[in-house]
Amino acid sequence: MTVRRVMGIETEYGVLQPGRPQANPMLLSSQVVTTYRALAARADGARGKARWDYDDEDPLQDARGFHLQRAAAHPSLLTDDPTRPAPSGPVPRDPAGAASFQEVARPTHEDYDDPSAANVILTNGARLYVDHAHPEYSSPEVTNPTDAVCWDVAGERIMLAASRELGAVPGAEVALYKNNVDGKGASYGTHENYLVDRAVPFATLVELLTPFLVTRQVFTGSGRVGLGSVGQEPGFQLSQRADYMEAEVGLETTLRRPIVNTRDEPHADRQRWRRLHLIIGDANLFEVATYLKLGTTSLVLFVVEQLDALSAVEGASGASLRAELAALRLHDPVSDVQKVSRDLDLTAPLLLADGRRLTALEVQRVYADVARRAAEHLGTLDDETRAVLDRWDSVLSRLGTDPASCAREVEWVAKLRLLDRLRRRDHLDWDHPRLAAMDLQWSDVRPERSIYHRLLAAGAAERLVDERAVSQAVHHAPEDTRAYFRGEVMARFGDEVSAASWDSVIFDVAGAPSLQRVPMLDPLRGTRAHIGALLEASKDAGALLTGLSGTSR
């Protein structure tokens, strides 16, 4: 059993311009991206302006076995058209949260850069671009949760660098926030991606994963001041995304947001893999929360992938594991997302489909126990898998007995403790604007303004990766996935790259009769072990392509 699989995180950052609340977020986001492009060119010597290759993208292919007609799709789904930026979806029209909605129009009140230009393929293998009027950092592919944390934090440093550079120009200051809500009804995403064996039926993934996703917010939630889509009710809750989940399963990402997203866009060999695209998670600054979010989800996916093998090898024991997970099906999972998020005591019972009632912690305990028993059945554990299992067990146990003991690991616990101290000291109700301001300040990417960074400096938040590793990750890709090839090519031969995507790089070599595409459908090829020596020996892209032609025979 192993926690290792290809995974990654996409984070849309909140953006505003101090003193200009009506500033166009598309323009601000474009400025962030293009500013970092210039910074990267200076820092890395990276050349060229490779475009993003949309040819292999199809956001309308549904994992349930059908393809949504383009004419029937909401514009927010059309993320494969670089000439027309997708709007963010609907926003509640009135603060009472009425059912009527007003569609967000494409920006017309201010000129903004061509969004196809606001796109950078970074030397660390990541993509930085404008998505739904937010600057988005899509991390490179990694193979384990510790690396996921490292390259996720590298994204924070990249956003900070762009913010600093813009702030040096009078009138161009931009504030960036690693959060998920703007307090006015809009939510922007932190999406997780996991490569999963396509042999597992999608319906099985939905059935066995949904209760886990609904309840994992007890340790992955980043905390939020306000209840309801526009914070219309006073209070505090575990998750920033919970109030925006409206469906159990669906293709959309910015309206009718589902617990399990059905976009079937693997960015890999479709015959072997699917990419499970999850949009329910919060943006986390606490590294342990990110680590557990990716690590526990990967473990549950491994168990689901291995259920048939477990049944074959262990007989009744293996079948029992499947039955235990299937028995966790919730009666109303969409409603339970909000119920868990509002359960600060972690004691609210959730109604299961079979009539039993379990708390979110109890549901998580079943998943953790099943994962542990599956590991025992399947044999040797690698160190990282054992570490995730042990941390998962420890956090669940302490949340059930002494939540305050998790304050260095679980983000919502730390945030609630700090806010409660302020409330008691100054006699503030939950709807006081100082609390909302503190919630926002928590996620500011600027260390001198960020409450999270103050906690970090005081040793009140646990680190899993050191800053030297993060600094390295800002400029260099993971060495054990195809991100290594993508990043190194951009660093060495960027002026000879016409376009790139997750699963290909297109070269434009002087003197060549045509563009040359290098496919990368296997995310575990193109690693340093596989291609490093050839890259070192290639003086230009032409030599690299010649060498690749030789190694592919």
Side-chain angles (χ1 to χ4, degrees), residues 31-288:
Q31 289 171 339
V32 169
V33 174
T34 54
T35 295
Y36 191 77
R37 181 201 297 277
L39 277 175
R42 295 205 303 265
D44 300 328
R47 305 177 299 277
K49 289 188 177 182
R51 65 178 178 83
W52 189 255
D53 178 19
Y54 291 89
D55 287 352
D56 292 333
E57 297 199 6
D58 186 356
L60 304 182
Q61 184 65 45
D62 196 294
R64 291 168 292 187
F66 62 86
H67 188 277
L68 183 64
Q69 294 299 310
R70 201 168 187 87
H74 187 275
S76 64
L77 287 172
L78 305 180
T79 57
D80 58 343
D81 183 354
T83 67
R84 300 194 59 178
S88 296
V91 173
R93 186 177 302 190
D94 66 89
S100 58
F101 290 93
Q102 176 182 6
E103 297 296 341
V104 175
R106 301 180 189 276
T108 58
H109 59 287
E110 210 175 316
D111 291 333
Y112 58 91
D113 292 347
D114 178 355
S116 64
N119 180 87
V120 189
I121 304 161
L122 302 176
T123 59
N124 74 349
R127 182 188 180 196
L128 179 65
Y129 72 115
V130 178
D131 186 32
H132 295 125
H134 294 269
E136 176 172 314
Y137 172 81
S138 293
S139 80
E141 305 91 322
V142 299
T143 60
N144 62 82
T146 301
D147 281 355
V149 171
C150 187
W151 269 271
D152 181 59
V153 178
E156 297 171 23
R157 303 296 180 266
I158 285 168
M159 291 296 184
L160 173 61
S163 174
R164 295 275 197 233
E165 186 76 359
L166 282 166
V169 179
E173 182 182 8
V174 170
L176 297 172
Y177 300 90
K178 192 182 183 188
N179 66 354
N180 298 108
V181 293
D182 68 355
K184 301 174 183 176
S187 177
Y188 28 96
T190 301
H191 299 177
E192 305 149 58
N193 299 286
Y194 304 89
L195 215 60
V196 180
D197 187 345
R198 189 169 280 273
V200 179
F202 186 74
T204 300
L205 285 175
V206 173
E207 177 192 7
L208 301 184
L209 198 62
T210 296
F212 169 78
L213 296 175
V214 170
T215 56
R216 70 174 188 174
Q217 56 189 305
V218 297
F219 54 80
T220 65
S222 61
R224 178 191 170 202
V225 173
L227 309 177
S229 58
V230 293
Q232 62 267 26
E233 300 174 44
F236 181 87
Q237 58 180 311
L238 277 57
S239 169
Q240 296 207 354
R241 286 288 272 180
D243 285 339
Y244 303 90
M245 295 294 112
E246 301 173 285
E248 186 173 353
V249 182
L251 187 61
E252 294 84 357
T253 59
T254 63
L255 70 161
R256 296 187 296 275
R257 294 179 180 92
I259 297 168
V260 179
N261 185 254
T262 61
R263 180 178 292 190
D264 191 5
E265 200 174 41
H267 301 315
D269 184 346
R270 181 176 292 274
Q271 301 303 311
R272 298 174 61 188
W273 294 297
R274 73 170 79 251
R275 175 178 61 110
L276 183 64
H277 184 237
L278 298 179
I279 70 171
I280 191 174
D282 285 3
N284 289 113
L285 288 159
F286 270 42
E287 294 179 6
V288 174

Side-chain angles (χ1 to χ4, degrees), residues 364-382:
Q364 280 294 313
R365 172 53 62 194
V366 174
Y367 277 102
D369 289 347
V370 166
R372 179 77 68 177
R373 285 158 51 206
E376 294 170 355
H377 290 323
L378 293 169
T380 306
L381 292 179
D382 58 77

Side-chain angles (χ1 to χ4, degrees), residues 270-313:
R270 181 176 292 274
Q271 301 303 311
R272 298 174 61 188
W273 294 297
R274 73 170 79 251
R275 175 178 61 110
L276 183 64
H277 184 237
L278 298 179
I279 70 171
I280 191 174
D282 285 3
N284 289 113
L285 288 159
F286 270 42
E287 294 179 6
V288 174
T290 299
Y291 171 79
L292 282 175
K293 180 168 61 180
L294 277 290
T296 60
T297 305
S298 183
L299 284 178
V300 173
L301 288 172
F302 184 90
V303 172
V304 173
E305 288 172 328
Q306 298 298 318
L307 283 174
D308 287 341
L310 283 164
S311 296
V313 172

